[in-house]
Every structure is written in C-alpha cells, then in structure tokens.
C-alpha cells in the first residue's frame, strides 16, 4: 500500500486530515462473520461520560444511548429502583434535577425527540424530492460488497488495491447517480485528485468545512455507512496490531465526502443557508442537554439497583468445599454461560471443583484445522498470536490433500450458486437435488458441523523451555498451583447450531470467535508432558504423577460436553473418565432445565437439544444476554450462589499473586473483553438502529463478511434483535458491567494508575468497580479519580442494604 505524504497541505488542511483520523477512531471495528467477536460500540468514546456520548450520538446519529423513560418508570413503580438508587445517581450528575422527586417526575414524562444534524444528502433530498441518502447508501454498499468481499463474490477486487482507487474506477463508470439527476457525477469522480488526502481536503474546501466543524461531521458520515466503515476500521485495527497502519477507513470517508461535494455543487443555491447553519452546529461544543443528564441519572440508578441485587446474592453463605484432594477438577471459560453449568456440576458431587479462566487458556494460537487453508487466530482480538498449531494425527498426506481439494471444491460450488451469472440456472437445474436436504433440515435431522476431531499439535518452534514457561504462567494465572485432582478437565466452549450467519458470535470470544477445544487440548498436551512437569517442579509447581489433563468442549446450546481422552493413548484413568461422563451428563440435564425457563418455546430441558438442529430457530440460545457482573475471586466466594448465568467468573487468589502481575492481566485483558461484550449488548438494546444488526429474518450474507437487512445498503453490525428480545420483551437489561475483585485496594489502584485506558472505563463509568471481602461480599466501590468509598455507606434510608 502506497504511503501519502503531508507536503503541500496548509495548516488548516492538516487539521482537517487529523480530524478525519480522529473521526475514524470513533468508529468500532467489525470482525467478519467467520470469526466474529463482540465489540464495544462506544470504543471511541470511553474517555467521555454517558451524558457527553448521549449528546454526541444525538448530533451525529439522532439516537439515544439510554432506554425510553417508561422503562425506568416501570422499574421505579415496581420497586426495582428505589429512592436510594436515585439519590446516589443524582449525586453523580447534580445538575440533572433538584431532588429525587424531580427525577421521578421526569421519569413520567417523555424526553425530547432525537434528530441527527442533516447531511448534504439529506438537504438535497428535501429540496429535490429524490432519496439521495438512500441512493448514496445503496451505491456505496454495492461497491463495498465487492471490494471487501471475503470469498462470496464471483468477480473479486484485485488484491492489494487501495479502496479509493477501486471506488474511483467504479463510480466514474456507474451511471446510477446521473440517471437519478446528479449530472456530471462520473466526470467529477474521474477528475478527483489521485491522492486520497488531496481529494479529502478538496471536498472539505468545497463544502466550506472548518477544522472545528469537521470532526463530528466526519463521524456522522462514517457512522451513517453502518458496518462498511466498521469493516474498514477492522482493517486499521488489524494493521496496527501487527505494527503497521492502514488508510482504508480514510478512503471510505473520502468516498462518502465526495458524494456530499457533488450534491452540494448540484443544489448549493437551494441549501447554502441551511448548510451554513449545520456547519455552525457541528463546530459548536458537544454539550449534554437537560434531558440527557436526566436520562443518565435514571440509567445509573437502574445500575445501582442491579448492584444491590448482586450484593444480596454475594452476601449469602457459600456452599462448603470439602477438604482434601478434589475428586475431579474442571476448568471452564469465564463466559457467563459456564456459570450455570459449573453450578450444576458442583451440585452433582461435592468433591468436584470447578475453575474459571479465559477460554483461550493462555495460548495465543494461530491454528490450521484439518483440510483447511485458513490460519485461525484462536486468541483474544486484543493480542497477536504467539504460537502456531495444526491438526495432527491424520498421518495420511494423501487423505489430507484430498480433504483440502474437497473443501476447496465446496467453497467454489458455494460461490457459483451465489453468482449473478449462475443463480437462475442453478435454481432451475439443481433445485430438485435439494429436496432431501430441505426435508432433513426442516425435521432437524442434520446436525451442525462438528469441531475438528484431529488432535492439535504445537509447532516444534515452541520448544521445551517455552512450554515450561507457558505452563508456569498459565497455572499461576488460574490460581491452580497445588492440590491437583486425579482428572483435570480443560473445557473450551462453542455453539453447535445450523443455518445461522452469526454462529461464530455464539462461540468463544476469547478464542477469536472460534470454538475453544483447540486451546484446551493444546494446554492439556503441554501439562501432561513429563519433561514439562519436571520443569514445573523447579518453578515450585508439582503435579502428581497420577494427574491427567484432558481437553474438552462444552456445547453451550445443548449443554453436552465432549471429552477428547483419545488424545492421550495408554492412560490409566478409564474409571475416572467414566465417572466424569456420568457427572457431566447429570450436570447437563440440570443446566438445560434451568435454561429452559428463559428460552421461548422450551417447555423443559429436553427441548433445548433440538434447538441446535432446527434451521428455523432464530433463538437457539441466549448466548451472553443478561450479563451484568464480572467476579475475580476464589470460587469458594461464589460457590452455590445462584448468579443466574449472568456473571463472568474468573478464579483468582490474590495471596498467591506475588507482585500482582495476574491481577494486572485480569484487569487489562479479560475485564476489557468482558466490557466489550457487555457494551455490545447494551448498545444493541438502547440504540438498535445504529448499533444492532436488525431482524434475522431479513438478513442476507454479503461478501462473506456480514449481513445486510433486505437486499442491499449498509452492512449491519452488532447483535440481531432476536438476540436481545424474545418477541414480547427484552431478555437483556442494558446495565453496564459491575466488576468485583477480591484484592487489596492499593494493588487495584496502582494498576488503574498505570493503565489510563482501563482507568477511563471506570472513571467514566462504562464499568463499575468493587472490591470483595473474604466472605465474597461487596466491600468498596470505586468512585473515580482513584478514590474509593465503603459500599455500606450507600445503605438505603428505607433500610435496604446497598
């Protein structure tokens, strides 16, 4: 990709270019469907408070970032939100109302309407009667679907070509705009400067943009492109993660800006005065309105109410843990879905100990599955891969090659089916062939694709010293350094569903949107290695000779668990494995029964297994809907406490954490990932038209990277409506995550002081932070600016414990 210099630009132009870069970073990235992960839609606004972001998004998107007032009023009326919650929230934003009575009165009135500032395309539509915003969205969408295509299109963009160059060729030959009435558009595009940044500043000059007006205006243009700008942001994210950069996002902004330039030149005489007002409005400071302050207080009060409920649960006595060696240990991902299964498994036998750890199990693996040409980044998207692995055990090169050819043929056939030149002929000629498959799908007879059964093998470059160091660090981070059971299960997770473009979003976010069994099996292999165990002894960790680690996969849709004990031939743990199978089967039945209460059309646990095979089921599971807490503490603090599948559970013992390196890792990685998940659900509920993916029933996969709602237009990011709503009401309360950590305040404060980006999440209350005492009860609340207050100081005047 060629570089562009800044020579020849004026100071004002350089400011505009800088504003373009800032606007791009206000957009969240969108991962492709094959490996989609949750993303915080407010990623570019974490340095701002909720009222400030409300004012910003009202200006650029015409959306609220909180719930409608009647949602809060209902919670006040039914006693969920009490006066103490309102009073404490008002203390954070005292300008919102005079007192609690004023807040209650405000909750009973409708807030002001939301309307984004108009773009030039909006103004042009008003004076011409032509749907220019729709035309712009549709034509950019047509081009972007081809440019960003990840294997679906028959005719694909030339690899490595700049987005701006590709669009200039496309748009200069596209007659749609001219047919609609924008004469000379193709000529204008053809005559734009070849240097993207020159075209950017030329268009800005034509529109009369000042640096002060450009940032929120540019943000508005990018946000209006939906997922297309988010895909471009993903390209920048990936490039910077690898130590480089990428200009695709600025290319996309320039493309949208040239449309504005062309429309302004066409309609300037009719819209000039109004456009001057819009420019002035963009140049004005972003200031929250009274309504936005009130809504922020009501939202905060709802979160305080949720925290009271969490505190009540955590203050209950924990289930007792028998002394001595556990009968079995099972380590799960911290995912909230694991909490239900862990609690069920522990109830089956008191000798079972479960643990929680990020589901990539500390191995940042780039993995190549059997018969696959794709390097799967099975690691958190915040990190770069550190080890490579591939499916082993096949042993037959010819079989592997044949499988690869078959897979490639299948992909080619799939592209042919979708191609414009073949679609009608394909339906006519091949439709009858699919009658059998259609019947099997309709009857739920076809299962989804199972995970790769071939045992993963680490690359030889990851030598013995590396494996010992990794094992030492991972076991330390898991607070698992002694008292090992005879059988230790390492359980990744995934969702075995069919006919679901968003299937990867149901898999493990810590594994980059893939299933988690590969990392679990890799770690089991490392920990079973005798040479690694000898090295661990030198590092102070002794694993008994009779301990066997085995990787497995927890299917979160069916609550079935697959154990890959065949990875370790010759073991002597058949009786332990037989008992573990019985325990896991019993726990799965209990977990399905509990989950059936929440799922629509699931009268009992037996109905849940069928959902994974039902191609018409839009809600095979609730995934992480309902998540509201992250808890880092020994399991003994939460064992037996009904957290309802709404809490991320990370095992952590601060007394074993010399120097608090593990605590720092938890706060800067798993907590941040959990915040992305929580805030994606939050954004998809409070602003579904901007941050949600729309209706699953209308989705069409585009370019293999995302979905559009209908037959074109803007790509849709975020969660489908069916992921947060059951058809009658919300299944997710949009509450920002409460992070509870058992550790000394001084250690937590030092880490926040060291990591300003993490601190901003708590200072601006995108996350709430608490300490836990030795009984697991909430003790201290982080009050911002590295200050803490005692949690009991917020006790309700009505006598309700806060």
């Amino acid at each position: 990709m060629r570089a562009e210099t800044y020579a020849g630009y004026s100071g004002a132009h350089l400011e505009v270019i800088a504003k373009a870069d800032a606007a791009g970073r206000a957009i969240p990235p969108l991962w492709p469907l094959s490996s989609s992960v949750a993303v915080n839609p407010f990623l570019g606004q974490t340095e701002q408070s909720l009222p400030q972001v409300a004012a910003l998004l009202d200006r650029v998107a015409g959306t609220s970032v909180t719930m409608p007032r009647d949602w809060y009023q209902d919670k006040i009326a039914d006693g969920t939100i009490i006066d103490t919650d309102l009073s404490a929230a008002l203390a954070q934003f005292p300008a919102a109302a005079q007192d609690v009575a004023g807040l209650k009165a405000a909750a009973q009135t409708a807030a002001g309407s939301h309307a984004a500032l108009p773009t030039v395309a909006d103004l042009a539509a008003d004076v011409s009667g032509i749907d220019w915003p729709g035309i712009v969205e549709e034509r950019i969408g047509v081009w972007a679907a081809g440019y960003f295509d990840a294997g679906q299109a028959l005719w694909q963009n030339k690899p490595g070509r700049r987005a701006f160059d590709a669009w200039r060729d496309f748009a200069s030959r596209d007659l749609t705009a001219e047919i609609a009435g924008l004469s000379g558009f193709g000529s204008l595009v053809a005559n734009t400067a070849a240097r993207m940044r020159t075209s950017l500043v030329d268009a800005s000059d034509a529109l009369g943009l000042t640096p002060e007006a450009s940032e929120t205006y540019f943000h508005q243009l990018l946000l209006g492109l939906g997922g297309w700008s988010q895909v471009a942001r993903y390209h920048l994210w990936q490039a910077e993660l690898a130590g480089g950069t990428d200009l695709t996002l600025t290319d996309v902004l320039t493309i949208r800006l040239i449309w504005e330039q062309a429309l302004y030149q066409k309609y300037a005489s009719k819209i000039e005065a109004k456009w001057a007002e819009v420019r002035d409005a963009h140049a004005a400071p972003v200031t929250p309105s009274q309504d936005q302050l009130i809504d922020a207080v009501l939202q905060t009060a709802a979160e305080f109410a949720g925290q009271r409920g969490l505190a009540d649960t955590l203050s209950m006595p924990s289930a007792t843990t028998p002394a001595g060696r556990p009968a079995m240990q099972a380590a799960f991902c911290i995912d909230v879905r694991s909490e239900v299964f862990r609690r069920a498994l522990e109830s089956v036998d008191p000798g079972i100990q479960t643990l929680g750890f990020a589901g990539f199990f500390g191995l940042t693996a780039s993995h190549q599955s059997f018969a696959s040409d794709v390097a799967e980044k099975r690691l958190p998207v915040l990190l770069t891969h550190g080890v490579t692995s591939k499916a082993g055990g096949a042993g037959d090169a010819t079989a592997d090659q044949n499988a690869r050819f078959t897979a490639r043929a299948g992909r080619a056939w799939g592209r042919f089916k979708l191609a414009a030149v073949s679609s009608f002929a394909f339906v006519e000629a091949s439709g009858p062939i699919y009658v059998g498959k259609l019947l099997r799908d309709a009857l739920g007879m076809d299962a989804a694709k199972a995970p790769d059964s071939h045992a993963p093998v680490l690359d030889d470059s990851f030598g013995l010293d590396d494996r010992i160091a990794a094992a030492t660090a991972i076991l330390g981070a898991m607070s698992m350094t002694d008292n090992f059971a005879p059988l230790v299960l390492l359980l990744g997770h995934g969702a075995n569903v069919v006919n679901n473009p968003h299937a990867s979003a149901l898999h493990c976010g810590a594994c980059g949107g893939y299933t988690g069994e590969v990392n679990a099996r890799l770690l089991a292999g490392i920990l079973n290695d005798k040479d690694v165990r000898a090295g661990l002894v030198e590092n102070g960790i002794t694993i008994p000779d009779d301990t066997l680690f085995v990787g497995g996969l927890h299917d979160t849709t069916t609550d079935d668990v697959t154990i890959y004990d065949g990875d370790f031939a010759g073991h002597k743990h058949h009786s332990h494995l037989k008992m573990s199978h019985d325990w896991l089967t019993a726990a799965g039945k209990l977990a399905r029964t509990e989950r059936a209460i929440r799922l629509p059309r699931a009268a009992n646990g037996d109905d849940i297994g069928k959902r994974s095979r039902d191609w018409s089921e839009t809600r095979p599971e609730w995934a992480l809907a309902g998540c509201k807490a992250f808890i880092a503490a020994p399991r003994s603090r939460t064992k037996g406490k009904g957290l309802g599948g709404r809490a991320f559970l990370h095992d952590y013992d601060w007394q074993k954490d010399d120097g608090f390196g593990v605590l720092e890792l938890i706060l800067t990685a798993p907590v941040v990932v959990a915040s992305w998940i929580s805030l994606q659900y939050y954004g998809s509920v409070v602003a579904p038209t901007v941050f949600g993916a729309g209706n699953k029933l209308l989705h069409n996969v585009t370019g293999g990277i995302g979905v559009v709602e209908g037959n074109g237009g803007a790509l849709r990011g975020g969660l489908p409506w069916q992921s947060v709503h059951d058809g009658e009401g919300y299944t997710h309360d949009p509450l920002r995550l409460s992070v509870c950590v058992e550790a000394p305040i001084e250690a937590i404060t030092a880490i926040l002081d060291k990591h300003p980006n993490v601190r901003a999440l708590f200072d601006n209350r995108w996350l709430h932070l608490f300490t836990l005492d030795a009984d697991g009860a909430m003790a201290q609340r982080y009050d911002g600016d590295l200050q803490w207050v005692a949690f009991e100081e917020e006790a309700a005047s009505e006598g309700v414990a806060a």
Side-chain angles (χ1 to χ4, degrees):
M1 182 175 291
R2 70 171 188 265
E4 291 193 1
T5 65
Y6 294 96
Y9 297 119
S10 69
H13 287 161
L14 290 175
E15 287 187 64
V16 168
I17 291 170
K19 297 294 186 182
D21 181 72
R25 294 176 187 280
I27 301 296
L30 177 66
W31 266 255
L33 286 175
S34 61
S35 56
S36 57
V37 296
V39 177
N40 172 12
F42 309 103
L43 190 62
Q45 290 83 52
T46 54
E47 297 286 343
Q48 303 171 18
S49 67
L50 186 63
Q52 291 170 323
V53 174
L56 171 66
L57 292 180
D58 190 19
R59 174 185 292 188
V60 302
T63 188
S64 174
V65 295
T66 52
M67 294 296 282
R69 292 271 176 91
D70 57 4
W71 187 82
Y72 302 104
Q73 170 56 28
D74 288 345
K75 290 185 176 297
I76 293 171
D78 67 15
T80 301
I81 298 176
I82 62 175
D83 285 359
T84 297
D85 304 321
L86 293 167
S87 179
L90 185 58
Q92 294 187 1
F93 305 105
Q98 287 188 341
D99 50 30
V100 169
L103 276 177
K104 288 183 173 180
Q108 299 180 45
T109 63
S113 60
H114 300 278
L117 291 174
T119 63
V120 171
D122 293 323
L123 298 177
D126 289 342
V127 299
S128 68
I130 301 171
D131 181 18
W132 286 116
I135 292 172
V136 172
E137 179 183 276
E138 191 270 338
R139 297 321 295 164
I140 290 180
V142 168
W143 164 78
Y147 180 78
F148 291 114
D149 180 81
Q152 181 172 324
L154 185 62
W155 297 294
Q156 296 179 359
N157 182 65
K158 182 179 178 181
R161 195 172 189 214
R162 277 281 297 271
F164 185 62
D165 296 339
W167 176 78
R168 287 177 76 224
D169 284 350
F170 169 86
S172 61
R173 294 170 172 79
D174 182 13
L175 299 179
T176 306
E178 306 213 20
I179 293 172
L182 191 57
S183 57
F185 180 71
S187 176
L188 183 148
V189 171
N191 291 315
T192 54
R195 295 178 67 192
M196 174 270 293
R197 288 196 175 102
T198 301
S199 291
L200 173 75
V201 298
D202 286 348
S204 298
D205 286 346
L207 292 165
L209 286 174
T210 63
E212 293 75 19
S214 58
E215 185 169 348
T216 58
Y217 173 56
F218 290 164
H219 184 187
Q220 179 177 12
L221 294 183
L222 286 171
L223 203 60
L225 293 174
W228 296 125
S229 60
Q230 294 176 40
V231 171
R233 180 69 177 89
Y234 164 77
H235 282 254
L236 177 60
W237 180 279
Q238 294 296 94
E240 292 185 335
L241 199 62
T245 191
D246 186 271
L247 295 175
T248 305
L249 188 56
T250 314
D251 283 352
V252 169
L253 172 61
T254 304
I255 290 165
R256 180 64 183 87
L257 199 62
I258 290 172
W259 272 99
E260 294 280 277
Q261 175 189 1
L263 289 167
Y264 186 65
Q265 290 177 357
K266 170 74 174 179
Y267 297 105
S269 62
K270 297 180 180 180
I271 66 173
E272 186 174 10
K274 183 64 177 176
W275 174 237
E277 294 177 8
V278 173
R279 286 198 308 262
D280 289 344
H282 273 295
V286 178
T287 305
S289 68
Q290 190 71 21
D291 271 336
Q292 288 158 349
L293 288 171
I294 290 170
D295 290 341
V297 172
L298 293 173
Q299 175 62 33
T300 303
E303 289 162 357
F304 285 173
Q307 290 156 12
R308 283 189 298 103
L310 177 63
D312 288 344
T313 300
L314 292 178
S315 65
M316 297 174 65
S318 300
T320 58
T321 301
R325 192 180 190 189
M328 182 181 78
Q329 290 168 308
F332 291 79
C333 182
I334 62 174
D335 187 288
V336 300
R337 290 167 289 185
S338 299
E339 188 273 332
V340 177
F341 197 97
R342 289 179 63 182
R343 185 160 30 87
L345 183 59
E346 290 166 342
S347 72
V348 170
D349 189 286
I352 299 173
Q353 178 189 1
T354 72
L355 303 96
F357 189 64
F360 73 114
F361 287 104
L363 294 174
T364 53
S366 175
H367 180 72
Q368 187 171 319
S369 297
F370 182 69
S372 172
D373 300 315
V374 179
E376 302 165 348
K377 299 297 192 295
R378 293 176 177 255
L379 62 150
V381 298
L382 302 173
L383 306 176
T384 55
H385 83 271
V387 299
T388 58
S389 64
K390 63 180 180 180
D396 187 342
T398 301
D400 178 71
Q401 185 181 60
N402 290 340
R404 291 178 190 277
F405 287 160
T406 300
R408 291 172 187 169
R411 290 193 294 268
W413 180 245
R415 288 195 292 270
F416 173 76
K417 289 190 296 183
L418 296 169
V421 296
S422 59
S423 56
F424 293 106
F426 174 83
V427 171
E428 291 290 336
S430 304
I433 298 174
Y434 282 79
V435 169
K437 176 175 172 51
L438 187 63
L439 287 173
R440 290 194 303 272
D441 287 347
L443 296 173
M445 296 169 63
D446 276 356
K449 180 182 177 183
D452 194 343
S453 62
H454 297 91
V457 178
L458 282 166
D459 188 83
D460 290 339
S461 62
F462 195 63
L464 178 60
D465 289 344
D466 295 322
R467 298 179 194 217
I468 293 171
T472 303
I474 293 168
L475 290 174
M478 295 175 69
S479 297
M480 189 180 187
T481 56
D482 55 22
N483 200 29
F484 293 92
L487 178 65
V488 182
L489 302 181
L490 304 174
L491 301 177
H493 68 93
N496 194 20
V497 296
V498 298
N499 194 35
N500 188 345
H502 291 89
S504 64
L506 301 178
H507 293 331
C508 180
C511 297
Y514 293 99
T515 55
E517 83 288 351
V518 167
N519 299 58
R521 295 166 80 181
L522 287 172
L523 181 59
I526 292 173
L527 296 176
N528 285 332
D529 188 305
K530 291 182 179 179
D531 293 332
V532 171
R533 290 193 180 187
L536 284 171
V537 172
E538 296 181 8
N539 293 337
I541 301 174
T542 299
I543 300 175
D545 291 340
D546 68 345
T547 292
L548 177 71
F549 291 83
V550 183
L553 181 69
H554 170 212
D555 187 330
T556 56
T557 310
T558 64
D559 277 318
D560 293 325
V561 176
T562 301
I563 302 299
Y564 295 95
D565 58 300
D567 292 354
F568 308 106
H571 64 75
K572 300 178 181 179
H573 289 71
H574 299 289
S575 61
H576 290 113
L577 287 164
K578 171 62 172 64
M579 185 61 71
S580 75
H581 177 270
D582 294 341
W583 285 335
L584 292 167
T585 300
K589 185 174 182 179
L590 290 172
R592 286 189 292 272
T593 301
E594 178 175 332
R595 291 199 299 118
I597 298 171
R598 290 182 64 197
L599 282 165
R601 301 176 306 283
N604 55 63
D606 295 335
D607 296 333
I608 288 183
K610 302 173 185 177
R611 304 174 81 91
S612 68
R613 303 188 304 272
D614 186 350
W615 61 269
S616 66
E617 179 56 69
T618 58
R619 300 175 180 90
E621 60 163 273
W622 280 129
L624 295 106
C627 62
K628 66 177 183 179
F630 181 106
I631 301 172
R635 176 56 170 162
S636 59
R637 308 297 190 254
T638 57
K639 186 176 180 181
K641 298 178 180 180
L643 292 164
R646 300 174 189 271
F648 300 90
L649 296 181
H650 196 303
D651 272 67
Y652 172 67
D653 186 346
W654 69 267
Q655 297 187 50
K656 295 181 179 180
D657 186 14
D658 186 27
F660 297 104
V662 173
L663 178 61
E664 182 174 7
L665 180 65
I666 291 172
L667 289 175
T668 57
V671 165
V672 173
V673 171
S675 78
W676 281 28
I677 294 168
S678 167
L679 289 167
Q680 183 186 61
Y681 275 87
Y682 180 95
S684 295
V685 172
V686 301
T689 59
V690 178
F691 296 128
N695 188 343
K696 272 187 177 182
L697 301 179
L698 304 178
H699 282 171
N700 280 307
V701 175
T702 298
I705 52 175
V707 297
V708 294
E709 197 173 23
N711 64 353
L715 203 69
R716 300 297 298 268
L719 295 164
W721 187 241
Q722 285 85 351
S723 293
V724 296
H725 199 277
D726 65 7
E728 297 181 359
Y730 295 102
T731 59
H732 178 78
D733 277 349
L735 307 176
R736 291 169 291 180
L737 203 66
S738 295
V739 178
C740 304
V741 182
E742 183 181 329
I745 284 178
E746 296 77 15
I748 300 173
T749 303
I751 293 169
L752 295 181
D753 193 35
K754 181 179 176 181
H755 297 277
N757 290 340
V758 176
R759 175 183 168 183
L761 288 168
F762 295 108
D763 277 358
N764 293 305
R765 295 182 172 84
W766 296 104
L767 297 172
H768 302 276
L769 181 60
F770 304 87
T771 62
L772 300 178
D773 63 22
D775 295 320
M778 295 165 70
Q780 299 278 331
R781 178 198 292 274
Y782 180 71
D783 202 37
D785 198 26
L786 303 181
Q787 301 299 310
W788 298 79
V789 296
F791 192 67
E792 57 267 21
E793 288 180 2
E794 301 166 356
S797 58
E798 293 87 349
V800 179

